[in-house]
Amino acid sequence: MIPKVKRKHDEGIRSGKQGIMGLLAEKRHNYILDKLKSSGRVTVTEVAQVFEVTEVTVRRDLSWLQKQNLVKKTYGGAVLPNLPEINISV
């Protein structure tokens, strides 16, 4: 199960208060995670168009999510991170 993203504040906000930018980032992050859960892949262009933000903003979102081990960045988008291998000996 993919967790929803909840942050106290957006890293880009200097005041430390959440504000509208933090809420929008949280919505983008949740959209990205939901899209990955349903289709296994998301593109930078798609998210940028849906939220009417720049592709740079989406790449920043993907970098943050990757640091949280929630996504794995790929060329042009992201996929779910690889699950750890489980070695079962019988």
Side-chain angles (χ1 to χ4, degrees):
M1 183 171 167
I2 299 173
K4 294 290 183 185
V5 176
K6 290 220 177 207
R7 300 189 310 180
K8 291 185 180 180
H9 62 82
D10 187 62
E11 293 169 351
I13 298 175
R14 293 181 185 173
S15 68
K17 296 180 181 175
Q18 182 153 354
I20 188 114
M21 295 308 287
L23 291 174
L24 294 176
E26 187 175 313
K27 284 185 178 188
R28 289 192 308 273
H29 294 176
N30 286 328
Y31 173 86
I32 290 166
L33 294 173
D34 288 343
K35 187 73 172 176
L36 288 173
K37 184 179 177 184
S38 66
S39 68
R41 170 167 189 78
V42 67
T43 66
V44 170
T45 303
E46 172 194 353
V47 178
Q49 289 174 347
V50 168
F51 287 94
E52 298 180 348
V53 296
T54 67
E55 291 185 357
V56 172
T57 298
V58 177
R59 287 188 195 100
R60 190 177 307 124
D61 290 339
L62 293 177
S63 291
W64 188 87
L65 290 168
Q66 182 168 274
K67 286 180 185 176
Q68 308 305 310
N69 296 318
L70 297 173
V71 305
K72 180 178 180 184
K73 288 172 47 178
T74 62
Y75 183 80
V79 294
L80 290 172
N82 293 335
L83 296 175
E85 283 188 34
I86 300 174
N87 188 2
I88 302 175
S89 300
V90 179

